[in-house]
Coordinates of all heavy atoms in Angstrom, one line a residue:
L252 N -36.5 83.2 -22.8 CA -36.5 84.7 -23.0 C -37.2 85.1 -24.2 O -37.6 86.3 -24.4 CB -35.0 85.2 -23.0 CG -34.7 86.7 -23.1 CD1 -35.2 87.3 -21.8 CD2 -33.2 86.9 -23.3
E253 N -37.5 84.1 -25.1 CA -38.0 84.4 -26.4 C -39.3 85.2 -26.4 O -39.5 86.1 -27.1 CB -38.1 83.1 -27.2 CG -38.3 83.3 -28.7 CD -38.2 82.1 -29.5 OE1 -37.5 81.2 -29.0 OE2 -38.9 82.0 -30.6
R254 N -40.2 84.8 -25.5 CA -41.5 85.5 -25.4 C -41.4 86.9 -25.0 O -42.0 87.8 -25.6 CB -42.4 84.7 -24.4 CG -43.8 85.4 -24.3 CD -44.7 84.6 -23.3 NE -44.8 83.2 -23.7 CZ -45.5 82.3 -23.0 NH1 -46.0 82.7 -21.8 NH2 -45.6 81.1 -23.4
L255 N -40.5 87.2 -24.1 CA -40.2 88.6 -23.7 C -39.6 89.4 -24.8 O -40.0 90.5 -25.1 CB -39.3 88.6 -22.4 CG -38.9 90.0 -22.0 CD1 -40.1 90.9 -21.6 CD2 -37.9 89.9 -20.8
L256 N -38.7 88.7 -25.5 CA -38.0 89.4 -26.6 C -39.0 89.8 -27.7 O -39.0 91.0 -28.2 CB -37.0 88.5 -27.3 CG -35.7 88.3 -26.5 CD1 -34.8 87.3 -27.2 CD2 -34.9 89.7 -26.4
R257 N -40.0 89.0 -28.0 CA -41.0 89.3 -29.0 C -41.8 90.5 -28.6 O -42.2 91.3 -29.4 CB -41.9 88.1 -29.3 CG -41.1 86.9 -29.9 CD -42.1 85.8 -30.4 NE -41.3 84.7 -30.8 CZ -40.8 84.5 -32.0 NH1 -40.9 85.5 -32.9 NH2 -40.1 83.4 -32.4
R258 N -42.1 90.6 -27.3 CA -42.8 91.8 -26.8 C -42.0 93.1 -26.9 O -42.5 94.1 -27.2 CB -43.3 91.6 -25.4 CG -44.4 90.6 -25.2 CD -45.2 90.8 -23.9 NE -44.3 90.7 -22.8 CZ -44.1 89.6 -22.1 NH1 -44.6 88.4 -22.5 NH2 -43.3 89.6 -21.0
V259 N -40.7 92.9 -26.6 CA -39.8 94.1 -26.6 C -39.6 94.6 -28.0 O -39.6 95.8 -28.2 CB -38.5 93.7 -25.9 CG1 -37.4 94.8 -26.1 CG2 -38.7 93.5 -24.4
I260 N -39.3 93.8 -29.0 CA -38.9 94.2 -30.3 C -40.1 94.7 -31.1 O -40.0 95.4 -32.1 CB -38.1 93.1 -31.1 CG1 -39.0 91.9 -31.3 CG2 -36.9 92.8 -30.3 CD1 -38.3 90.8 -32.1
G261 N -41.3 94.3 -30.8 CA -42.5 94.7 -31.5 C -42.8 93.8 -32.7 O -42.0 93.0 -33.1
E262 N -44.0 94.0 -33.2 CA -44.5 93.2 -34.3 C -43.8 93.5 -35.7 O -43.8 92.6 -36.6 CB -46.0 93.4 -34.5 CG -46.8 92.9 -33.3 CD -48.3 93.1 -33.5 OE1 -48.7 93.7 -34.6 OE2 -49.1 92.7 -32.7
H263 N -43.2 94.7 -35.8 CA -42.6 95.0 -37.1 C -41.2 94.3 -37.3 O -40.6 94.3 -38.4 CB -42.4 96.5 -37.2 CG -41.4 97.1 -36.2 ND1 -41.7 97.0 -34.9 CD2 -40.3 97.8 -36.4 CE1 -40.6 97.7 -34.3 NE2 -39.8 98.1 -35.2
V264 N -40.7 93.7 -36.2 CA -39.4 93.0 -36.3 C -39.7 91.5 -36.2 O -40.4 91.1 -35.3 CB -38.4 93.5 -35.1 CG1 -37.2 92.6 -35.2 CG2 -38.1 94.9 -35.3
T265 N -39.1 90.7 -37.1 CA -39.3 89.3 -37.1 C -38.1 88.6 -36.4 O -36.9 88.8 -36.8 CB -39.3 88.8 -38.5 OG1 -40.4 89.4 -39.2 CG2 -39.6 87.3 -38.5
L266 N -38.4 87.9 -35.3 CA -37.4 87.2 -34.6 C -37.1 85.8 -35.1 O -38.1 85.0 -35.3 CB -37.8 87.1 -33.1 CG -36.8 86.3 -32.2 CD1 -35.4 87.1 -32.1 CD2 -37.3 86.2 -30.8
E267 N -35.9 85.5 -35.5 CA -35.5 84.2 -36.0 C -34.4 83.6 -35.2 O -33.5 84.3 -34.8 CB -35.0 84.3 -37.5 CG -36.0 85.0 -38.4 CD -35.4 85.2 -39.8 OE1 -34.2 85.0 -40.0 OE2 -36.2 85.7 -40.7
T268 N -34.6 82.4 -34.8 CA -33.6 81.7 -33.9 C -33.0 80.5 -34.5 O -33.8 79.7 -35.2 CB -34.2 81.3 -32.5 OG1 -35.3 80.4 -32.7 CG2 -34.7 82.6 -31.8
Q269 N -31.7 80.3 -34.4 CA -31.1 79.1 -34.9 C -30.1 78.6 -33.8 O -29.0 79.1 -33.6 CB -30.3 79.4 -36.2 CG -31.1 79.9 -37.3 CD -30.3 80.3 -38.5 OE1 -29.2 79.9 -38.7 NE2 -30.9 81.2 -39.3
F270 N -30.6 77.6 -33.0 CA -29.9 77.1 -31.8 C -29.2 75.8 -32.1 O -29.9 74.9 -32.6 CB -30.8 77.0 -30.6 CG -31.4 78.3 -30.2 CD1 -32.6 78.3 -29.5 CD2 -30.8 79.5 -30.4 CE1 -33.1 79.5 -29.0 CE2 -31.3 80.7 -30.0 CZ -32.5 80.7 -29.3
D271 N -27.9 75.6 -31.8 CA -27.3 74.4 -32.0 C -27.8 73.4 -31.0 O -27.7 73.6 -29.8 CB -25.8 74.6 -31.8 CG -25.0 73.3 -32.1 OD1 -25.5 72.2 -32.1 OD2 -23.7 73.4 -32.4
P272 N -28.4 72.3 -31.4 CA -29.0 71.3 -30.4 C -28.0 70.6 -29.6 O -28.3 70.1 -28.5 CB -29.8 70.3 -31.3 CG -29.1 70.4 -32.7 CD -28.6 71.9 -32.8
E273 N -26.7 70.6 -30.0 CA -25.7 69.9 -29.3 C -24.8 71.0 -28.6 O -23.6 70.7 -28.3 CB -24.8 69.1 -30.2 CG -25.6 68.1 -31.0 CD -26.2 67.0 -30.1 OE1 -25.6 66.7 -29.0 OE2 -27.3 66.5 -30.4
L274 N -25.4 72.1 -28.2 CA -24.6 73.2 -27.7 C -24.0 72.8 -26.3 O -24.6 72.2 -25.5 CB -25.5 74.5 -27.5 CG -24.7 75.8 -27.2 CD1 -23.9 76.2 -28.4 CD2 -25.7 76.8 -26.7
W275 N -22.7 73.2 -26.1 CA -22.0 72.9 -24.9 C -22.6 73.8 -23.8 O -23.3 74.8 -24.0 CB -20.5 73.1 -25.0 CG -19.8 72.2 -26.0 CD1 -20.1 70.9 -26.2 CD2 -18.8 72.6 -26.9 NE1 -19.3 70.4 -27.2 CE2 -18.5 71.4 -27.7 CE3 -18.1 73.8 -27.2 CZ2 -17.5 71.4 -28.6 CZ3 -17.1 73.8 -28.2 CH2 -16.8 72.6 -28.9
G276 N -22.2 73.5 -22.6 CA -22.7 74.3 -21.4 C -21.7 75.5 -21.2 O -20.7 75.6 -21.8
V277 N -22.1 76.3 -20.3 CA -21.3 77.5 -20.0 C -21.6 77.9 -18.6 O -22.7 77.7 -18.0 CB -21.7 78.7 -21.0 CG1 -23.1 79.1 -20.8 CG2 -20.7 79.9 -20.8
V278 N -20.6 78.4 -17.9 CA -20.7 78.9 -16.6 C -21.0 80.4 -16.6 O -20.1 81.2 -17.1 CB -19.5 78.7 -15.7 CG1 -19.6 79.3 -14.3 CG2 -19.3 77.2 -15.5
A279 N -22.2 80.9 -16.2 CA -22.5 82.3 -16.4 C -23.7 82.6 -15.4 O -24.3 81.7 -14.9 CB -23.0 82.5 -17.9
D280 N -23.9 83.9 -15.3 CA -25.0 84.4 -14.5 C -26.2 84.5 -15.5 O -26.2 85.4 -16.4 CB -24.6 85.8 -13.9 CG -25.7 86.3 -13.0 OD1 -26.9 86.0 -13.3 OD2 -25.4 87.0 -12.0
P281 N -27.2 83.7 -15.4 CA -28.3 83.8 -16.3 C -29.0 85.1 -16.5 O -29.3 85.5 -17.6 CB -29.3 82.7 -15.8 CG -28.5 81.8 -15.0 CD -27.4 82.7 -14.4
S282 N -29.1 85.8 -15.4 CA -29.8 87.1 -15.4 C -28.9 88.1 -16.2 O -29.5 89.0 -17.0 CB -30.1 87.7 -14.0 OG -28.8 87.9 -13.3
Q283 N -27.6 88.0 -16.1 CA -26.8 89.0 -16.9 C -26.7 88.6 -18.3 O -26.7 89.5 -19.2 CB -25.4 89.0 -16.3 CG -25.4 89.6 -14.9 CD -24.0 90.1 -14.5 OE1 -23.0 89.9 -15.2 NE2 -23.9 90.7 -13.3
I284 N -26.7 87.3 -18.6 CA -26.8 86.9 -20.0 C -28.1 87.3 -20.7 O -28.1 87.8 -21.8 CB -26.6 85.4 -20.2 CG1 -25.3 84.9 -19.6 CG2 -26.8 84.9 -21.6 CD1 -24.1 85.6 -20.3
E285 N -29.2 87.3 -19.9 CA -30.5 87.8 -20.4 C -30.4 89.3 -20.7 O -30.9 89.7 -21.7 CB -31.6 87.5 -19.4 CG -32.0 86.0 -19.3 CD -33.0 85.8 -18.2 OE1 -33.4 86.8 -17.5 OE2 -33.4 84.6 -18.0
Q286 N -29.7 90.0 -19.8 CA -29.6 91.4 -20.0 C -28.7 91.7 -21.3 O -29.0 92.7 -22.0 CB -28.9 92.1 -18.8 CG -28.8 93.6 -19.0 CD -28.5 94.3 -17.7 OE1 -28.3 93.7 -16.6 NE2 -28.4 95.6 -17.7
V287 N -27.7 90.9 -21.5 CA -26.9 91.1 -22.8 C -27.8 90.9 -24.0 O -27.8 91.8 -24.9 CB -25.8 90.0 -22.8 CG1 -25.2 89.9 -24.2 CG2 -24.7 90.4 -21.8
V288 N -28.6 89.9 -24.0 CA -29.5 89.6 -25.2 C -30.5 90.7 -25.3 O -30.8 91.2 -26.4 CB -30.1 88.2 -25.1 CG1 -31.0 88.0 -26.3 CG2 -29.0 87.2 -25.1
L289 N -31.1 91.1 -24.2 CA -32.1 92.2 -24.3 C -31.6 93.5 -24.8 O -32.2 94.1 -25.6 CB -32.7 92.4 -22.9 CG -33.8 91.4 -22.4 CD1 -34.2 91.5 -21.0 CD2 -35.1 91.5 -23.3
N290 N -30.4 93.8 -24.3 CA -29.8 95.1 -24.8 C -29.5 95.0 -26.3 O -29.7 96.0 -27.0 CB -28.5 95.3 -24.0 CG -28.7 95.9 -22.6 OD1 -29.8 96.1 -22.2 ND2 -27.6 96.1 -21.9
L291 N -29.0 93.9 -26.7 CA -28.7 93.8 -28.1 C -29.9 93.8 -29.0 O -30.0 94.3 -30.1 CB -27.9 92.5 -28.4 CG -26.5 92.5 -27.8 CD1 -25.8 91.1 -28.1 CD2 -25.6 93.6 -28.3
A292 N -31.0 93.1 -28.5 CA -32.3 93.1 -29.2 C -32.9 94.5 -29.3 O -33.4 94.9 -30.3 CB -33.2 92.1 -28.5
V293 N -32.8 95.3 -28.2 CA -33.3 96.7 -28.2 C -32.6 97.5 -29.2 O -33.1 98.3 -30.0 CB -33.3 97.3 -26.8 CG1 -33.5 98.8 -26.9 CG2 -34.3 96.6 -25.9
N294 N -31.2 97.4 -29.3 CA -30.4 98.1 -30.2 C -30.8 97.7 -31.7 O -30.9 98.6 -32.6 CB -28.9 97.8 -30.0 CG -28.3 98.6 -28.9 OD1 -29.0 99.5 -28.3 ND2 -27.1 98.4 -28.6
A295 N -31.0 96.4 -31.9 CA -31.4 95.9 -33.2 C -32.8 96.5 -33.6 O -33.0 96.9 -34.8 CB -31.4 94.4 -33.2
R296 N -33.7 96.5 -32.7 CA -35.0 97.0 -32.9 C -34.9 98.5 -33.3 O -35.6 98.9 -34.3 CB -35.9 96.9 -31.7 CG -37.3 97.5 -31.8 CD -37.9 97.8 -30.5 NE -37.1 98.8 -29.7 CZ -37.3 99.1 -28.4 NH1 -38.2 98.4 -27.7 NH2 -36.6 100.0 -27.9
D297 N -34.2 99.3 -32.6 CA -34.0 100.7 -32.9 C -33.3 101.0 -34.2 O -33.5 102.0 -34.8 CB -33.2 101.4 -31.8 CG -34.0 101.4 -30.4 OD1 -35.2 101.1 -30.5 OD2 -33.4 101.6 -29.4
A298 N -32.5 100.0 -34.6 CA -31.8 100.1 -35.9 C -32.7 99.8 -37.1 O -32.3 100.0 -38.3 CB -30.5 99.3 -35.9
M299 N -33.9 99.2 -36.8 CA -34.8 98.8 -37.9 C -36.1 99.4 -37.7 O -37.1 98.7 -37.4 CB -34.9 97.3 -38.0 CG -33.6 96.5 -38.2 SD -33.8 94.7 -38.4 CE -34.2 94.2 -36.8
P300 N -36.2 100.8 -37.9 CA -37.5 101.4 -37.6 C -38.6 101.0 -38.6 O -39.8 101.1 -38.2 CB -37.2 102.9 -37.9 CG -35.9 102.9 -38.7 CD -35.2 101.7 -38.3
D301 N -38.2 100.5 -39.7 CA -39.2 100.0 -40.7 C -39.4 98.5 -40.6 O -40.1 97.9 -41.5 CB -38.9 100.4 -42.1 CG -38.8 101.9 -42.3 OD1 -39.6 102.6 -41.7 OD2 -37.9 102.4 -43.0
G302 N -38.8 97.9 -39.6 CA -38.9 96.4 -39.5 C -37.8 95.7 -40.2 O -37.0 96.2 -40.9
G303 N -37.8 94.4 -40.0 CA -36.8 93.5 -40.6 C -36.5 92.3 -39.7 O -37.1 92.2 -38.6
P304 N -35.6 91.5 -40.1 CA -35.3 90.2 -39.3 C -34.2 90.5 -38.2 O -33.2 91.2 -38.4 CB -34.7 89.3 -40.4 CG -34.1 90.2 -41.4 CD -34.9 91.4 -41.4
L305 N -34.5 89.9 -37.1 CA -33.5 89.9 -36.0 C -33.2 88.4 -35.7 O -34.1 87.6 -35.4 CB -34.1 90.5 -34.7 CG -33.3 90.3 -33.4 CD1 -31.9 90.8 -33.5 CD2 -34.0 90.8 -32.2
T306 N -31.9 88.0 -35.9 CA -31.5 86.6 -35.9 C -30.6 86.4 -34.6 O -29.7 87.2 -34.4 CB -30.8 86.2 -37.1 OG1 -31.6 86.5 -38.3 CG2 -30.4 84.7 -37.1
I307 N -31.0 85.4 -33.9 CA -30.1 85.0 -32.7 C -29.7 83.5 -33.0 O -30.5 82.6 -33.2 CB -30.9 85.1 -31.4 CG1 -31.4 86.5 -31.2 CG2 -30.0 84.6 -30.2 CD1 -32.2 86.7 -29.9
E308 N -28.4 83.3 -32.9 CA -27.8 82.0 -33.2 C -26.9 81.5 -32.1 O -26.3 82.4 -31.4 CB -27.1 82.0 -34.5 CG -27.9 82.4 -35.7 CD -27.0 82.5 -37.0 OE1 -25.8 82.3 -36.8 OE2 -27.5 82.8 -38.1
T309 N -26.8 80.2 -31.9 CA -25.8 79.7 -31.0 C -25.0 78.6 -31.7 O -25.6 77.9 -32.6 CB -26.4 79.1 -29.7 OG1 -27.3 78.0 -30.0 CG2 -27.2 80.1 -28.9
A310 N -23.7 78.4 -31.4 CA -22.9 77.4 -32.0 C -21.7 77.1 -31.2 O -21.3 77.9 -30.3 CB -22.5 77.9 -33.4
N311 N -21.2 75.9 -31.4 CA -19.9 75.5 -30.7 C -18.8 75.8 -31.6 O -18.8 75.6 -32.8 CB -19.9 73.9 -30.5 CG -21.0 73.5 -29.5 OD1 -21.3 74.2 -28.6 ND2 -21.6 72.3 -29.8
V312 N -17.7 76.4 -31.0 CA -16.5 76.8 -31.8 C -15.3 76.4 -31.0 O -15.3 76.4 -29.7 CB -16.5 78.3 -32.1 CG1 -17.6 78.6 -33.1 CG2 -16.6 79.1 -30.9
E313 N -14.2 76.2 -31.7 CA -12.9 76.0 -31.1 C -12.0 77.2 -31.5 O -11.8 77.4 -32.7 CB -12.2 74.7 -31.6 CG -12.9 73.4 -31.1 CD -12.2 72.9 -29.8 OE1 -11.3 73.6 -29.3 OE2 -12.6 71.9 -29.3
L314 N -11.6 78.0 -30.5 CA -10.7 79.1 -30.8 C -9.3 78.6 -30.7 O -8.8 78.1 -29.7 CB -11.0 80.2 -29.8 CG -12.4 80.8 -29.7 CD1 -12.5 81.9 -28.7 CD2 -12.9 81.1 -31.1
D315 N -8.6 78.8 -31.9 CA -7.2 78.4 -31.9 C -6.2 79.5 -31.5 O -6.6 80.6 -31.2 CB -6.8 77.8 -33.3 CG -7.0 78.9 -34.4 OD1 -7.0 80.1 -34.1 OD2 -7.2 78.5 -35.6
D316 N -4.9 79.1 -31.5 CA -3.9 80.1 -31.0 C -3.8 81.3 -31.9 O -3.6 82.4 -31.5 CB -2.5 79.4 -30.9 CG -2.5 78.4 -29.8 OD1 -3.2 78.6 -28.8 OD2 -1.7 77.4 -29.9
D317 N -4.0 81.1 -33.2 CA -3.9 82.2 -34.2 C -5.1 83.2 -33.9 O -4.8 84.4 -33.9 CB -4.0 81.7 -35.6 CG -2.8 81.0 -36.1 OD1 -1.7 81.2 -35.4 OD2 -2.9 80.2 -37.0
F318 N -6.3 82.7 -33.7 CA -7.4 83.6 -33.4 C -7.1 84.3 -32.1 O -7.3 85.6 -32.0 CB -8.7 82.7 -33.2 CG -9.9 83.5 -32.9 CD1 -10.7 84.0 -33.9 CD2 -10.2 83.8 -31.6 CE1 -11.9 84.7 -33.6 CE2 -11.4 84.6 -31.3 CZ -12.2 85.0 -32.3
V319 N -6.7 83.6 -31.0 CA -6.4 84.3 -29.7 C -5.3 85.3 -29.8 O -5.5 86.4 -29.2 CB -6.1 83.2 -28.7 CG1 -5.6 83.8 -27.4 CG2 -7.3 82.3 -28.4
S320 N -4.3 85.0 -30.6 CA -3.2 86.0 -30.7 C -3.6 87.3 -31.3 O -3.1 88.4 -31.0 CB -2.0 85.4 -31.4 OG -2.4 85.1 -32.8
G321 N -4.6 87.2 -32.2 CA -5.1 88.4 -32.9 C -6.0 89.2 -32.0 O -6.4 90.3 -32.3
R322 N -6.4 88.7 -30.8 CA -7.2 89.4 -29.9 C -6.4 89.9 -28.7 O -7.0 90.3 -27.6 CB -8.3 88.5 -29.4 CG -9.3 88.1 -30.4 CD -10.1 89.3 -30.9 NE -10.9 89.9 -29.9 CZ -11.3 91.1 -29.9 NH1 -10.9 92.0 -30.8 NH2 -12.2 91.6 -29.0
A323 N -5.1 90.0 -28.8 CA -4.2 90.6 -27.8 C -4.4 90.0 -26.4 O -4.3 90.6 -25.4 CB -4.4 92.1 -27.8
G324 N -4.7 88.6 -26.4 CA -4.8 88.0 -25.1 C -6.0 88.2 -24.4 O -6.2 87.9 -23.2
L325 N -7.1 88.7 -25.1 CA -8.3 89.0 -24.4 C -9.2 87.8 -24.2 O -10.2 87.9 -23.5 CB -9.1 90.1 -25.2 CG -8.4 91.5 -25.3 CD1 -9.3 92.4 -26.1 CD2 -8.1 92.1 -23.9
V326 N -8.9 86.7 -24.8 CA -9.6 85.5 -24.7 C -8.7 84.3 -24.8 O -7.6 84.4 -25.4 CB -10.7 85.4 -25.9 CG1 -10.0 85.3 -27.2 CG2 -11.7 84.3 -25.6
E327 N -9.0 83.2 -24.1 CA -8.2 82.0 -24.1 C -8.5 81.1 -25.2 O -9.7 81.0 -25.6 CB -8.3 81.3 -22.7 CG -7.9 82.1 -21.5 CD -6.4 82.4 -21.5 OE1 -5.7 81.5 -22.0 OE2 -6.0 83.5 -21.0
P328 N -7.5 80.3 -25.7 CA -7.9 79.3 -26.7 C -8.7 78.2 -26.2 O -8.7 77.9 -24.9 CB -6.5 78.8 -27.2 CG -5.6 79.1 -26.0 CD -6.1 80.3 -25.4
G329 N -9.3 77.4 -27.0 CA -10.1 76.3 -26.6 C -11.6 76.3 -26.9 O -12.0 77.1 -27.8
R330 N -12.4 75.5 -26.3 CA -13.8 75.3 -26.6 C -14.6 76.5 -26.1 O -14.5 76.9 -24.9 CB -14.3 74.0 -26.0 CG -13.8 72.8 -26.6 CD -13.8 71.6 -25.7 NE -15.1 71.4 -25.1 CZ -16.0 70.5 -25.5 NH1 -15.7 69.7 -26.5 NH2 -17.2 70.3 -24.8
H331 N -15.4 77.1 -27.0 CA -16.3 78.2 -26.6 C -17.6 78.0 -27.3 O -17.8 77.2 -28.2 CB -15.7 79.5 -27.1 CG -14.5 80.0 -26.3 ND1 -13.3 79.4 -26.4 CD2 -14.4 81.1 -25.4 CE1 -12.4 80.0 -25.6 NE2 -13.1 81.0 -25.0
I332 N -18.6 78.7 -26.7 CA -19.9 78.8 -27.4 C -20.0 80.2 -28.0 O -19.4 81.1 -27.4 CB -21.1 78.5 -26.5 CG1 -21.2 79.6 -25.4 CG2 -21.1 77.1 -25.9 CD1 -22.5 79.5 -24.6
R333 N -20.6 80.2 -29.2 CA -20.7 81.5 -29.9 C -22.2 81.9 -29.9 O -23.0 81.1 -30.4 CB -20.2 81.4 -31.3 CG -20.4 82.7 -32.1 CD -19.9 82.6 -33.5 NE -18.4 82.5 -33.5 CZ -17.7 81.9 -34.5 NH1 -18.4 81.4 -35.6 NH2 -16.4 81.9 -34.5
L334 N -22.4 83.1 -29.4 CA -23.8 83.7 -29.4 C -23.7 84.8 -30.4 O -23.0 85.8 -30.3 CB -24.2 84.2 -28.0 CG -25.4 85.1 -27.9 CD1 -26.7 84.3 -28.4 CD2 -25.6 85.6 -26.5
T335 N -24.6 84.7 -31.5 CA -24.6 85.7 -32.5 C -26.0 86.4 -32.5 O -27.0 85.7 -32.5 CB -24.3 85.1 -33.9 OG1 -23.1 84.4 -33.8 CG2 -24.3 86.1 -35.0
V336 N -25.9 87.7 -32.6 CA -27.2 88.5 -32.7 C -27.0 89.4 -33.9 O -26.1 90.2 -34.0 CB -27.4 89.4 -31.5 CG1 -28.7 90.2 -31.6 CG2 -27.5 88.5 -30.2
R337 N -27.9 89.2 -34.9 CA -27.7 89.9 -36.2 C -29.0 90.6 -36.6 O -30.1 90.1 -36.5 CB -27.3 88.9 -37.3 CG -27.1 89.4 -38.7 CD -26.9 88.3 -39.7 NE -25.8 87.4 -39.3 CZ -26.0 86.2 -38.9 NH1 -27.2 85.7 -38.9 NH2 -25.0 85.4 -38.6
D338 N -28.8 91.8 -37.1 CA -30.0 92.6 -37.6 C -29.7 93.1 -39.0 O -28.6 93.0 -39.5 CB -30.3 93.8 -36.7 CG -29.3 94.9 -36.7 OD1 -29.0 95.4 -37.8 OD2 -28.7 95.2 -35.6

Side-chain angles (χ1 to χ4, degrees):
L252 188 63
E253 194 169 332
R254 183 179 298 177
L255 174 60
L256 284 175
R257 294 187 187 279
R258 290 202 302 268
V259 169
I260 62 178
E262 295 181 355
H263 66 298
V264 175
T265 304
L266 179 61
E267 302 173 356
T268 59
Q269 300 175 21
F270 299 154
D271 186 338
E273 303 297 326
L274 193 69
W275 297 322
V277 64
V278 175
D280 185 327
S282 64
Q283 292 200 356
I284 298 302
E285 288 176 359
Q286 183 166 1
V287 165
V288 178
L289 279 170
N290 281 359
L291 294 177
V293 168
N294 278 357
R296 176 201 66 192
D297 294 344
M299 298 186 290
D301 298 325
L305 167 61
T306 305
I307 300 177
E308 301 173 357
T309 61
N311 296 325
V312 294
E313 289 270 0
L314 301 186
D315 58 22
D316 292 332
D317 290 339
F318 180 92
V319 170
S320 64
R322 293 295 293 155
L325 297 180
V326 65
E327 297 292 329
R330 290 155 51 103
H331 288 69
I332 62 169
R333 175 181 292 158
L334 169 63
T335 304
V336 180
R337 182 185 305 109
D338 67 58

